[in-house]
Amino acid sequence: MRRRRNSPRELDPSSIRALVTGASRGIGAAVAEALAAAGHPVILNYRASDEAAAEVARRVEAAGGSCTLSKFDVADAEAASAAIAGLLEDERPIGVIVNNAGIARDAPFPALTREDWQAVLRTTLDGFFNVTQPLVMPMTRLRWGRIINLSSVSGVIGNRGQVAYAAAKAGIIGATRSLARELAKRDITVNAVAPGLIETDMIKDVPLEHALPLIPARRLGTAQEVASLVAYLASPAAGYITGQVLGINGGMA
Ligand code: NDP
């Protein structure tokens, strides 16, 4: 049997586009900036916040990076399919996908509505499928790729009031581990990042006096801290890490 080379393949990041979903704000915006700083032309997806997305694009470009806006709802199969077909017309491959778009609709389980259950699962799980599935075959032809999925500490250990969110975020871990096994021999890694409480709009209603005592580090994380981990996983240096769930949570789990 022919032995595979042991050294990671070096590719010029400026020739590999990176798609970040849900990148108009919060963690996704920080990830887009970090991947642009690493040299990738970035495709910034978002659903509604036009002005915020344009501001992220301005920051990326002011720092010398390249950024394209791609507005679509990741949960909408037809919209995602049409948008991704358009993105594939550019001949530069999409080698990095960060499935970051996510929503939380927290409620004690007896009060959880079917609409909220479905919205949360569709955004995280259908969103992962709608965006990733059409990009995988082109990625296998590139024989290099990085897929990074945003899970959550709630998907790892569960959380009161987050049955839907934790189900979605645990589901994405199963998808990550399985797809990692399918793609490893093509030099495509698939990992999940599971943040704890990160200071973004998503947690603006979380009462900090109750949350902080649960965090050994006694502080919230920053979007930039999560982005640094994602950028590392997207880098050539992380080529031997796949199928993993990396916690970034100040010691919560
Ligand atoms: P924010 O609520 O701050 O931002 C969410 C982003 O996702 C926005 O850019 C929003 O765009 C976009 N988005 C939401 N729904 C869709 C959709 N259907 N299609 C496309 N884009 C969409 O979230 P965070 O930055 O805090 O979270 C980012 C990810 O990290 C999420 O997956 C979240 O679950 C996860 N996470 C966050 C934690 C935290 O403490 N903040 C902890 C653990 C995990 P727009 O404004 O245009 O709607």
Side-chain angles (χ1 to χ4, degrees), residues 21-29 45-50 52-53 72-76 99-104 122-124 150-154 165 169 193-203 223 226:
T21 69
S24 56
R25 298 181 276 123
I27 293 170
N45 157 262
Y46 66 105
R47 181 186 47 184
S49 308
D50 295 314
F72 65 92
D73 179 347
V74 296
D76 180 335
N99 287 301
N100 168 81
I103 57 168
R122 288 187 62 230
T123 305
T124 294
L150 266 289
S151 177
S152 162
V153 68
S154 298
Y165 186 74
K169 294 302 192 181
V193 167
L197 280 164
I198 309 299
E199 194 167 10
T200 69
D201 292 347
M202 184 173 273
I203 64 149
V226 180

Side-chain angles (χ1 to χ4, degrees), residues 26-209:
I27 293 170
V31 167
E33 290 187 66
L35 293 177
H40 293 285
V42 171
I43 304 161
L44 189 158
N45 157 262
Y46 66 105
R47 181 186 47 184
S49 308
D50 295 314
E51 187 40 48
E55 177 54 35
V56 180
R58 274 194 290 276
R59 285 206 300 273
V60 166
E61 282 160 5
S66 146
C67 187
T68 309
L69 297 182
S70 179
K71 179 180 181 179
F72 65 92
D73 179 347
V74 296
D76 180 335
E78 278 179 25
S81 171
I84 286 168
L87 292 173
L88 286 171
E89 281 169 17
D90 184 322
E91 63 191 20
R92 290 169 304 168
I94 298 175
V96 179
I97 308 169
V98 182
N99 287 301
N100 168 81
I103 57 168
R105 300 272 174 84
D106 298 349
F109 191 55
L112 182 66
T113 64
R114 183 179 300 276
E115 288 70 31
D116 284 349
W117 167 263
Q118 285 175 341
V120 170
L121 266 68
R122 288 187 62 230
T123 305
T124 294
L125 295 177
D126 292 14
F128 160 80
F129 178 86
N130 293 339
V131 169
T132 310
Q133 201 271 349
L135 291 174
V136 159
M137 276 312 288
M139 210 180 245
T140 62
R141 287 193 283 276
L142 179 64
R143 296 195 75 85
W144 189 91
R146 299 284 188 263
I147 300 171
I148 299 145
N149 300 321
L150 266 289
S151 177
S152 162
V153 68
S154 298
V156 178
I157 60 172
N159 193 18
R160 293 170 57 163
Q162 289 202 311
V163 170
Y165 186 74
K169 294 302 192 181
I172 203 71
I173 290 175
T176 299
R177 290 190 169 129
S178 299
L179 190 58
R181 288 174 184 270
E182 287 192 24
L183 298 179
K185 66 175 185 291
R186 312 265 185 194
D187 281 350
I188 298 169
T189 68
V190 189
N191 291 291
V193 167
L197 280 164
I198 309 299
E199 194 167 10
T200 69
D201 292 347
M202 184 173 273
I203 64 149
K204 64 181 186 310
D205 298 329
V206 173
L208 289 186
E209 67 278 15

